Amino acid sequence: MTGPSWPVTTWQGWQHFATTPPPTPPQPGQAPRTPEERLAYHSAFVTVRTPAIDTLARHVRTLMILGRHQSTTARPSLIVTGPAAAGKTTALLHVGRTCHLAHTHRNPTPPGHHPQVPVAYVLVPPGATAKTLTAEFARYLGIPVTTRMTQAQITDAVCHTYNTAGVQLVLIDEIHRLNPRTTTGAQAADLLKDLTERIHATFVYAGIDVTATPLFSGVRGAQLAGRATLITCGPLPARHGPTRPFTDVIIDLENALDLTAHRPGTLSRHAAYLHQRTAGRIGSLTRLIRQAAITAITDGTEKITKATLDAVQLDHLAEQQARPARRR
């Protein structure tokens, strides 16, 4: 079965993403799935709730209520920051899907009406200019843009259409690509400020180590910092007081496996090794377990062992950090 042709940065792709039930772990009494079905399942896999997802969901819910009747100035916004592979985009998409489903459940679309658009998801393009960034907003809702249109005309069309469609939450990913120190980057940053004041929605940004980028520098950076709440989506610690948040995520991921010979508790016993191997990054951990599960199905062992995990070559960042310990 092939996926949709529309990317998630378009309304058609987002609606498909938000309304398609996520993969579900094997259920008691369920007929065994075929190897192909289980390979597909581990390829997509589940999204486990992390502290970052819970924090983001709580703040988004609060700020959407806070800004519901604010119309004269920009609503308060959120910035999700952290290193690569820390789960920022996963958290953003999870919260966006939850908002979409909650809104459409409370406000079902009457027959014959266009479906509601409560959430928009936009990627900042590389080397973003005001025009290319506006084009991404327009593309999401299929707003026609011609070469003869001025920047102001495109912006007016975007703001009008987003407000008419009832967009309540705007998710902007890869925000670290903006560089207000350049002329074009400054114009793109000014455009974002304009959009937050004219579109009646809560804006949530996500990017890699945003506070270390030019985005928070100068007058424009001060304006953004004065309006946005910063949420850090960093590596999970092995211990946090009496709790073990990294081990909790491992247990959730292990419970979701669909392997016929895997012994529960195997992965949690290797929590220290997994933390060292992935530096606590959720993205690297999930990829490691998914690849190990796929290997276990294809080679017929149907279980994940430390040897299976050690044989997986992870992303370069994780491998570079794990290499000194693995040379011993």
Side-chain angles (χ1 to χ4, degrees), residues 124 128-131 133 175 178-196 205 214-217 219-221 223-224 227:
V124 175
T129 65
K131 189 167 187 177
L133 184 55
I175 192 67
L178 277 183
N179 183 5
R181 290 178 181 170
T182 67
T183 301
T184 54
Q187 292 170 350
D190 288 342
L191 168 71
L192 269 186
K193 180 177 180 294
D194 188 27
L195 294 177
T196 60
Y205 311 93
L215 197 63
F216 268 21
S217 64
V219 175
R220 293 177 178 86
Q223 287 181 326
L224 180 61
R227 290 177 174 175

Side-chain angles (χ1 to χ4, degrees), residues 156-213:
D156 288 345
V158 165
C159 294
H160 173 76
T161 307
Y162 272 60
N163 288 330
T164 302
V167 175
Q168 298 181 3
L169 180 65
V170 177
L171 308 175
I172 304 178
D173 210 347
E174 308 287 354
I175 192 67
H176 57 271
R177 290 175 172 173
L178 277 183
N179 183 5
R181 290 178 181 170
T182 67
T183 301
T184 54
Q187 292 170 350
D190 288 342
L191 168 71
L192 269 186
K193 180 177 180 294
D194 188 27
L195 294 177
T196 60
E197 292 175 348
R198 297 176 59 184
I199 296 176
H200 307 151
T202 297
F203 280 62
V204 180
Y205 311 93
I208 297 174
D209 296 330
V210 172
T211 54
T213 69

Side-chain angles (χ1 to χ4, degrees), residues 19 64 96 108 148 160 173 201 247 258 266 276-277 280 287 323:
T19 58
M64 288 182 72
R148 300 181 65 179
H160 173 76
D173 210 347
T247 302
D258 194 355
T266 300
Q276 167 265 317
R277 183 80 196 278
R287 177 177 170 180
R323 185 176 296 165

